[in-house]
Amino acid sequence: CATPPPATHIDFAADGRLALRGELDGQKVAETASFRWRRSGEHAEIELGSALGETQARLAFDPQGAEFTDSKGNKLQASDAESLLQGATGYTIPVTPLRWWIEGRTAPDLPVSDDQTASDGSRRFAQAGWQVSFGVPAPQYPKLIQLKRDALDVRIAITEWP
Amino acid sequence: DAISDLRTFLAGNTSMQGQFKQTVLSKQAGAKPAVSSGSFAVQRPGKFRWAYASPYEQLIVGDGKQVWLYDADLKQVTIKQVGAALDASPAAVLAGEQIDKQYELRNLPGKDGLAWVLATPRNSESTFRRVEIGLRGSELAEMVLYDQFGQTTRVAVSQLVVNAKIDAGQFRFIAPKDVDVVRE
């Protein structure tokens, strides 16, 4: 399972909101959430909250495994974050490659196609089965990220990089 | 005592408006307080408008039947039925029908020059573990909401105006053209 985080040296931090829309198994779905994303080395920890801001769940993952904690303190573990999040929320969110996308990069170990960067710095590419687009970087990281796959549209807006 | 002052404040004021400053501090490693601010309006029972102006534009409006959650960056407004969305949030505490119905109240010792009431949600599904409400004299001054993960949301209220007439349009939301409307 996910090893405990190393000393609290934070290599990357982003707070923001996420909106997910579309269809899943023929049903219209819509979710909005807030999140706090922290990464120390290859250990990532995401606190998920409601749009009103209170925390409702926590997902921790690293290459060894993933752990999901719900608001009642129940813990679920799995070898990868995607299947864990799918089991806990019913949604397929590509968190493992998102670890790179949220920092404005493509995942190094996965093929990338149709990779185009516009003059304003915004960028689009396809990876891990998703159409990914970064908004204009502000200043270094994308402030807006959009993920599209089949009938699912995920929009991520970063508020700040504390 | 603080509880009777709170009940009097809520019962006596069918409408209130003001500014708020919100500070959220999580127990997460390396967490820094996230500060946001904006304005709010409440028409009891059930109607409220919670408008975050900075650091990002987000609007939460309730008309007693449904709640609009509008996020300008995400260009999306989610419409939820009252209840689940409103559950326990600063707006719910103020706009709620009858505070004793939703919360078990207890007096707390005075602190920071305020009289405090502890409000514990009666609904065990509530995502907030406890809410502390601070009164200056007989007026609402501050709320502190504790969630299940040890995060605290402190809401300080200022420029409070009570019982003024509030235009009904404040409690409706019309989505701008390019915004996706999503009904839940």
Side-chain angles (χ1 to χ4, degrees), chain B residues 113-177:
Chain B
L114 304 179
W116 287 90
V117 173
L118 169 63
T120 308
R122 293 189 190 281
N123 165 3
S124 62
E125 291 305 311
S126 164
T127 46
F128 282 104
R129 219 160 22 84
R130 53 188 277 174
V131 180
E132 292 169 358
I133 302 168
L135 298 162
R136 182 170 294 112
S138 63
E139 240 187 34
L140 174 75
E142 215 170 296
M143 281 185 281
V144 186
L145 301 99
Y146 298 81
D147 75 14
Q148 311 291 357
F149 284 78
Q151 169 192 295
T152 56
T153 302
R154 183 176 294 275
V155 177
V157 163
S158 61
Q159 297 164 33
L160 194 62
V161 171
V162 291
N163 290 334
K165 183 155 181 3
I166 303 178
D167 169 55
Q170 286 277 300
F171 305 115
R172 276 196 305 275
F173 178 78
I174 293 130
K177 227 174 6 21

Side-chain angles (χ1 to χ4, degrees), chain B residues 73-145:
Chain B
D73 290 339
L74 299 176
K75 288 196 171 34
Q76 175 167 305
V77 57
T78 307
I79 304 173
K80 288 175 185 267
Q81 292 320 307
V82 176
L86 193 56
D87 159 78
S89 65
V93 173
L94 298 177
E97 183 96 28
Q98 224 274 345
I99 191 159
D100 288 86
K101 240 182 2 183
Q102 290 172 318
Y103 295 89
E104 194 190 319
L105 303 181
R106 259 199 21 244
N107 283 306
L108 288 173
K111 201 175 58 171
D112 314 331
L114 304 179
W116 287 90
V117 173
L118 169 63
T120 308
R122 293 189 190 281
N123 165 3
S124 62
E125 291 305 311
S126 164
T127 46
F128 282 104
R129 219 160 22 84
R130 53 188 277 174
V131 180
E132 292 169 358
I133 302 168
L135 298 162
R136 182 170 294 112
S138 63
E139 240 187 34
L140 174 75
E142 215 170 296
M143 281 185 281
V144 186
L145 301 99

